[in-house]
């Protein structure tokens, strides 16, 4: 018997250099499985706007591939390195914006 997928969740761990993701699927029996995971990487030698565009393109491809029902994006936490925190905030913003534009609110 083929399992019926009732929910697909995309989890995002934002980052400018490396944005991580994982895809979970829940079936009609309540079983949850990890279906995919990986990273979207941006080259450090590129300028910030180019790196953000690469993240947007990667997020768009990922959303096309997995067609999630829900998306969870990690909240930001940083205590000392504000520069890194701002870069991660840029990446998180791109991820959120891409999801809203592609998937709705």
């Amino acid at each position: 018997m083929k399992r019926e997928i009732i929910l697909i969740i995309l989890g995002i761990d934002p980052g400018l250099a490396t944005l991580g993701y994982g895809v979970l699927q829940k079936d009609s029996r309540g079983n949850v499985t990890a279906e995919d995971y990986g990273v979207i990487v941006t080259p450090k030698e590129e300028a910030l706007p180019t790196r953000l565009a690469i993240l947007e393109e990667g997020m768009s491809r990922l959303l096309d591939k997995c067609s999630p029902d829900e998306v969870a994006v990690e909240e930001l936490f940083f205590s000392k390195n504000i520069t890194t925190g701002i870069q991660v905030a840029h990446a998180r913003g791109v991820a959120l914006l891409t999801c809203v534009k592609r998937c709705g609110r």
Side-chain angles (χ1 to χ4, degrees):
M1 180 166 108
K2 185 175 179 184
R3 68 184 188 134
E4 178 186 359
I5 303 302
I6 61 170
L7 183 65
I8 299 171
I9 302 170
L10 170 62
I12 301 293
D13 180 7
L16 181 62
T18 306
L19 182 146
Y21 67 87
V23 180
L24 299 176
Q25 291 185 346
K26 181 179 178 181
D27 67 23
S28 56
R29 293 183 174 177
N31 299 314
V32 177
T33 56
E35 292 298 314
D36 193 14
Y37 58 89
V39 293
I40 300 168
V41 178
T42 66
K44 64 182 177 185
E45 63 275 359
E46 293 291 344
L48 176 63
T50 302
R51 294 175 84 178
L52 296 175
I54 291 167
L55 290 177
E56 189 271 334
E57 290 169 6
M59 283 294 304
S60 291
R61 284 193 301 275
L62 181 58
L63 291 167
D64 285 342
K65 178 180 173 183
C66 70
S67 300
D69 298 301
E70 298 288 336
V71 178
V73 182
E74 184 179 4
E75 293 285 333
L76 297 184
F77 175 79
F78 56 93
S79 59
K80 295 187 182 185
N81 192 340
I82 190 77
T83 303
T84 300
I86 290 171
Q87 291 180 341
V88 174
H90 286 310
R92 186 173 190 273
V94 166
L96 290 170
L97 178 61
T98 305
C99 289
V100 168
K101 287 173 69 174
R102 301 291 305 273
C103 304
R105 54 179 199 101

